[in-house]
Amino acid sequence: MPEPVQRQNIAENDDEVLNDLPIDGEDEPNPIIGSHYVLVAVVFLVIALTIALAIGRPMYTRDSPTELDRLSSKIEELENKIDLILKKEDISPLSCKDVKTAHPNRPTGYYDTNGHAMYCNMDQLCGSGGGWTRVAYLDMSDATQNCPPGFMLDTTGGTRACGKPPSTSGSCVSVKFQSNNIQYSKVCGKLEGHKKGTPDAFFRFDDEYSNDIDTYYIDGVSITRGSPRQHVWSFAASSATTLHGGGIFNCRCVQGSTQQHPKFVGDNYYCESGDDDPLWDGQGCSKLEVDCCSSPYLPWFYRQYNASTTNYIELRLCTDQSTGDEEVFVRRYEIYVM
């Protein structure tokens, strides 16, 4: 996907507003600040009237309510309202969906909102209309980009990719992508990688933790959200291009495979084998892997949930054996929420 060069000014020359909230960099009046000025002015006016009445009226007994008492009560009520406004925290950050709703013709690109630059895909992705907020992006074919912290750069064969640090047993390395408090109920993304050695997809030589989402249940990549982890998508890598070991080492989607995978994964996974062929791009699949590459969304994955959340997205790269036996690498990824 090409990277737009110029950032967009969301509300320039448009009459629409996003939920009556100003967008960073614009001169539209802030209704909250305006309310502050109005209420403060009212308070000062009430205080002035109170003083005038106190000076000009005769004294009353403390048993009967006076105009001063009523005005004092009004002042207290107004002060409480001011406190509520000053402490107001229920304004949700603007998302790319908000931009798309208010400005349907805005193009894909960067937008300055919520105090930072946000990349918005305004086109259709995963069968849903535009307004996707990008939370993660990496393209190691770009020499200016680096692996996430904790990942190791691999340049074998001239291909730049990110892998795990050397290990003598099963392990994972992870990176988290914050949503910046944007509410979302849909996740759409794609990921491309390659493998070395003999990864076995979901097969575990140590079966003790095979159904534990918090450990290395996969030779490949696990996408989850929030804590405790909730499964979003799994990208499994296999080295078996023909039926091997009675099908136990083949992708579960391969015809004749006898491999099982954790129940929490369900059908939300991609699995592919091959040495020179990039993984999870839906291309170059063998005859045995026809069903593995049949998803209409490939190379994209897509999840939709009933309830919205602001949970972070986590990407974990895992193998259940040492890096001397098997390795999986990530070349590029792109993840959106809406």
Side-chain angles (χ1 to χ4, degrees), residues 50-62 64-70:
T50 300
I51 295 173
L53 289 169
I55 295 174
R57 288 181 177 271
M59 295 296 293
Y60 290 81
T61 65
R62 297 187 62 84
S64 59
T66 66
E67 189 68 20
L68 181 59
D69 293 331
R70 285 189 287 270

Side-chain angles (χ1 to χ4, degrees), residues 213-276:
I213 195 172
D214 293 322
T215 190
Y216 39 88
Y217 69 88
I218 187 175
D219 290 342
V221 177
S222 171
I223 306 292
T224 57
R225 61 187 183 120
S227 178
R229 291 185 175 104
Q230 302 170 64
H231 182 257
V232 176
W233 208 264
S234 290
F235 295 84
S238 172
S239 59
T241 55
T242 60
L243 282 180
H244 179 58
I248 193 66
F249 300 113
N250 295 87
C251 293
R252 179 178 171 82
C253 49
V254 164
Q255 300 171 19
S257 172
T258 56
Q259 186 174 105
Q260 301 296 315
H261 60 44
K263 293 181 180 179
F264 60 78
V265 172
D267 294 328
N268 302 308
Y269 74 96
Y270 291 144
C271 186
E272 198 173 336
S273 64
D275 293 320
D276 299 324

Side-chain angles (χ1 to χ4, degrees), residues 79-97:
E79 287 176 341
N80 290 335
K81 288 183 178 180
I82 291 176
D83 288 340
L84 287 175
I85 291 177
L86 291 175
K87 295 177 181 178
K88 189 174 181 65
E89 297 177 352
D90 60 349
I91 300 176
S92 299
L94 295 178
S95 68
C96 294
K97 183 63 175 178

Side-chain angles (χ1 to χ4, degrees), residues 123-184:
D123 302 315
Q124 189 176 78
L125 284 179
C126 296
S128 292
W132 292 92
T133 300
R134 191 170 73 184
V135 296
Y137 179 78
L138 180 72
D139 184 356
M140 291 304 292
S141 66
D142 181 350
T144 65
Q145 295 199 22
N146 300 313
C147 294
F151 288 68
M152 289 194 65
L153 174 66
D154 181 84
T155 57
T156 303
T159 299
R160 299 177 76 244
C162 302
K164 296 191 311 171
S167 65
T168 57
S169 62
S171 63
C172 298
V173 62
S174 75
V175 57
K176 295 177 182 177
F177 310 110
Q178 301 298 327
S179 71
N180 295 315
N181 290 322
I182 291 175
Q183 293 278 345
Y184 68 89

